[in-house]
Amino acid sequence: MSTDKKRVQFRAPNRLIDRADALAAVLGEDRTDVLVTALREYLQDAAHDDALTQEIAAAYYDDEITFDQLKALVGAEEAANLRVLKQQLDEDFIDEVADA
């Protein structure tokens, strides 16, 4: 895991932050640790959600996200598979247009 860190600021409902603070107190951690763990776990789960993976793939195919962003979201192996598929789709499209 990278030791580089980026400061992030966001607004959240008071109740949600109060719950994070309470959990941090129970665990003997600070709020940041709890929020980072929650975000990490959410992103891990999201990478294994088929519907969301399809949305991520579509964003990549439409050039809305880069390959590096794709890899960060779905992992290196899945990203490589999606890159090959995108190349095949692009080649098929070119062939169809050339034949038309």
Side-chain angles (χ1 to χ4, degrees), residues 61-78:
Y61 298 150
D62 292 339
D63 296 320
E64 295 172 7
I65 62 173
T66 66
F67 180 74
D68 287 338
Q69 291 171 317
L70 175 69
K71 190 166 58 172
L73 291 169
V74 299
E77 185 176 346
E78 181 69 15

Side-chain angles (χ1 to χ4, degrees), residues 13-26:
N14 286 335
R15 181 165 152 58
L16 184 62
I17 298 303
D18 291 344
R19 290 176 67 194
D21 288 343
L23 183 58
V26 167

Side-chain angles (χ1 to χ4, degrees), residues 38-73:
L39 181 57
R40 183 181 299 116
E41 290 176 5
Y42 175 82
L43 292 171
Q44 179 79 20
D45 290 346
H48 294 86
D49 180 294
D50 290 337
L52 186 54
T53 299
Q54 291 301 316
E55 287 186 47
I56 292 167
Y60 176 63
Y61 298 150
D62 292 339
D63 296 320
E64 295 172 7
I65 62 173
T66 66
F67 180 74
D68 287 338
Q69 291 171 317
L70 175 69
K71 190 166 58 172
L73 291 169

